[in-house]
Amino acid sequence: MSAPTKTPPKTFHVKSFGCQMNVYDGERMAELMAAQGMVATDDAHAADLVVLNTCHIREKATEKVYSDIGRLRKHGNDPMIAVAGCVAQAEGEEIVRRAKVDVVVGPQAYHNLPRLVTDAAAGMPALDTDMPLASKFGQLPARRKVAPGAFLTVQEGCDKFCTYCVVPYTRGAEVSRPFAAIVDEAKALVDAGAREITLLGQNVNAWTDGDGRGLHDLIRALDRVPGLARIRYTTSHPNDMAQGLIDAHRDVESLMPFLHLPVQAGSDRVLRAMNRQHTRDGYLRLLDRMRAARPDIALSGDFIVGFPGETEAEFAETLSLVDEVGYAQAYSFKYSPRPGTPAATLDGQVAADVMDDRLQRLQAALGRDQAAFNAASVGRDCRVLIERRGKRDGQWLGKSPWLQSVHVVGPHAIGELIDVTLVQAGPLSLTGEVRARAAA
């Protein structure tokens, strides 16, 4: 028996959870809907179609999706609801059973979203969690208008199989997009308004074209794209930091002095249990090589506290690694057991209150170092890319080369690069004093 038919949606709203890749995917799904003649709205409760683009990394993120569905059903105008992303991939049939949504589409199949919406409106089943070998990117519409800082996915999936992580199961094996397709999309992004592009991948520095070219070769090619002022990339794995990529940080002016390189823990035993495939010492030596190539580089990392079996002494090793590195910023989380991952069945699951205490201590150390990095930036001259208006009259917000938020005042415009002196620092942002307008 088929479901009741619905009026095809005329307006849509996309809400993305989680990582930058989800933000990119959300933008591409919005472009797909717009190409079908639908109009975007910022109000989810007023939309005919709401796309929840989900993350499955954290348990709370998964539950938040179900909460959002409940709120939409209760307070919305009975919209069509599509669940996309990693939760859709991992729990597709369960979502249909538990939440009775209209469309479920995985992260490798979202190019089929318009067809699925049409099927759902006609009362037909609309679930697609296939992981096809054919690239979805060739079936997406052209980029038309983007923000000054744009995301560009170049690699998807992961072959590392860290024992706590669902990515290999929800995103599949590592796949690199073709060199020429990436360069073409970068040019299209610049034509659409981008001045800075962040290259995305679950293991972005594992990108390869199959002919021996690596991420550093791609970055050097993008450096030659007219109008592209800045290049960034995330997220990387320590084992894929080739010397060529380190050298690119030394040689390529448009490659920003910022590296997000997750370590997860400071204890070698915990790293082995996580199947991280690197050691504490190897990670630190890698950072030494990065700093030798680019002395002003800002470092960022990811940390998990309370991994099964983690002792207080092993957690102390994480704190000591933080002290040794001095991160400019970082992300830290309590371990969250994900169904189907090896770590979920390990002995020695750490009590919630212990994890809470460790996370608070870790975040205090990371916050201390971020504030110190910002304070040490006072007096620096740099360029800031204006991204949006600030909260006060005449105020603008942009990013420094080191990915710091910088407030400036003056007659500026979104997308403008301006030369500033950093004159004041807070724990999360800085104030810049404009020196002169930078060349286009």
Side-chain angles (χ1 to χ4, degrees):
M1 181 177 177
S2 62
T5 60
K6 289 190 174 185
T7 302
K10 296 180 179 179
T11 60
F12 72 91
H13 175 84
V14 179
K15 180 177 182 179
S16 292
F17 303 78
C19 66
Q20 294 99 327
M21 188 171 288
N22 263 24
V23 175
Y24 172 89
D25 288 347
E27 291 173 351
R28 300 302 264 147
M29 281 187 273
E31 290 163 356
L32 278 167
M33 296 297 96
Q36 300 299 310
M38 282 186 268
V39 177
T41 174
D42 292 333
D43 184 359
H45 296 301
D48 299 327
L49 167 67
V50 178
V51 181
L52 300 175
N53 186 29
T54 62
C55 173
H56 200 249
I57 296 297
R58 313 296 302 163
E59 183 177 10
K60 287 184 179 179
T62 303
E63 291 304 315
K64 183 170 174 54
V65 174
Y66 289 106
S67 296
D68 275 12
I69 292 170
R71 280 193 293 270
L72 287 168
R73 293 288 190 219
K74 184 177 181 180
H75 300 295
N77 59 343
D78 191 25
M80 182 180 291
I81 298 177
V83 177
C86 292
V87 173
Q89 186 68 43
E91 303 182 19
E93 293 183 359
E94 173 66 10
I95 295 169
V96 174
R97 184 196 65 79
R98 176 175 168 183
K100 297 180 174 60
V101 298
D102 301 280
V103 175
V104 174
V105 60
Q108 305 302 347
Y110 68 73
H111 56 287
N112 294 324
L113 184 57
R115 173 181 59 79
L116 294 168
V117 169
T118 299
D119 289 348
M124 298 167 60
L127 186 151
D128 189 345
T129 54
D130 285 347
M131 289 190 179
L133 293 176
S135 172
K136 67 190 174 195
F137 296 100
Q139 303 178 58
L140 298 173
R143 312 305 300 267
R144 299 192 181 279
K145 186 177 180 181
V146 299
F151 294 134
L152 172 52
T153 291
V154 302
Q155 179 273 339
E156 288 193 291
C158 183
D159 295 342
K160 298 298 188 289
F161 287 93
C162 298
T163 57
Y164 53 82
C165 186
V166 297
V167 166
Y169 313 103
T170 58
R171 290 274 184 172
E174 289 179 359
V175 177
S176 296
R177 292 182 64 190
F179 182 94
I182 295 169
V183 174
D184 286 346
E185 187 171 342
K187 291 177 180 177
L189 286 169
V190 172
D191 290 343
R195 304 299 309 278
E196 172 182 297
I197 290 178
T198 300
L199 307 177
L200 299 180
Q202 266 84 33
N203 262 358
V204 68
N205 56 340
W207 181 89
T208 177
D209 67 349
D211 292 326
R213 286 186 292 192
L215 186 65
H216 54 286
D217 298 298
L218 179 61
I219 287 170
R220 290 178 186 272
L222 295 177
D223 180 56
R224 297 190 290 271
V225 173
L228 180 57
R230 293 179 163 189
I231 302 169
R232 303 183 189 273
Y233 62 92
T234 193
T235 292
S236 301
H237 192 284
N239 287 9
D240 293 317
M241 284 299 299
Q243 186 60 45
L245 187 52
I246 295 173
D247 293 343
H249 277 277
R250 179 194 64 206
D251 300 336
V252 180
E253 185 177 354
S254 63
L255 181 57
M256 293 294 96
F258 183 90
L259 175 63
H260 181 68
L261 193 64
V263 61
Q264 306 299 1
S267 158
D268 281 342
R269 190 206 65 79
V270 173
L271 290 172
R272 286 193 299 273
M274 290 178 167
N275 193 34
R276 283 293 293 169
Q277 304 173 36
H278 64 81
T279 65
R280 173 195 177 104
D281 183 68
Y283 179 85
L284 292 172
R285 300 294 73 76
L286 176 57
L287 296 188
D288 287 343
R289 290 162 56 203
M290 283 297 311
R291 283 172 163 152
R294 187 69 196 251
D296 68 332
I297 197 159
L299 298 170
S300 172
D302 286 350
F303 294 88
I304 295 173
V305 303
F307 187 80
E310 181 188 65
T311 66
E312 178 62 27
E314 288 166 342
F315 172 67
E317 292 184 76
T318 295
L319 292 179
S320 69
L321 183 141
V322 168
D323 292 343
E324 187 167 349
V325 172
Y327 290 94
Q329 57 179 257
Y331 303 92
S332 53
F333 310 92
K334 294 181 290 186
Y335 168 72
S336 177
R338 309 313 296 134
T341 60
T345 59
L346 288 177
D347 293 333
Q349 300 287 325
V350 178
D353 60 337
V354 175
M355 286 198 284
D356 288 340
D357 174 69
R358 290 178 184 173
L359 184 64
Q360 289 177 18
R361 285 186 283 156
L362 175 60
Q363 290 182 340
L366 293 170
R368 171 204 67 199
D369 289 349
Q370 180 171 341
F373 182 85
N374 286 347
S377 299
V378 172
R380 271 180 165 173
D381 295 332
C382 69
R383 283 187 172 182
V384 169
L385 176 61
I386 300 298
E387 295 183 337
R388 58 183 173 87
R389 290 184 177 274
K391 295 180 179 179
R392 302 174 184 173
D393 289 342
Q395 186 185 62
W396 300 84
L397 184 65
K399 286 291 192 297
S400 77
W402 306 281
L403 206 62
Q404 299 153 303
S405 294
V406 180
H407 297 275
V408 296
V409 175
H412 306 300
I414 293 173
E416 186 180 354
L417 276 164
I418 59 175
D419 290 321
V420 308
T421 299
L422 301 176
V423 296
Q424 186 176 354
L428 301 177
S429 65
L430 297 100
T431 300
E433 187 174 279
V434 179
R435 294 187 293 118
R437 289 177 181 265

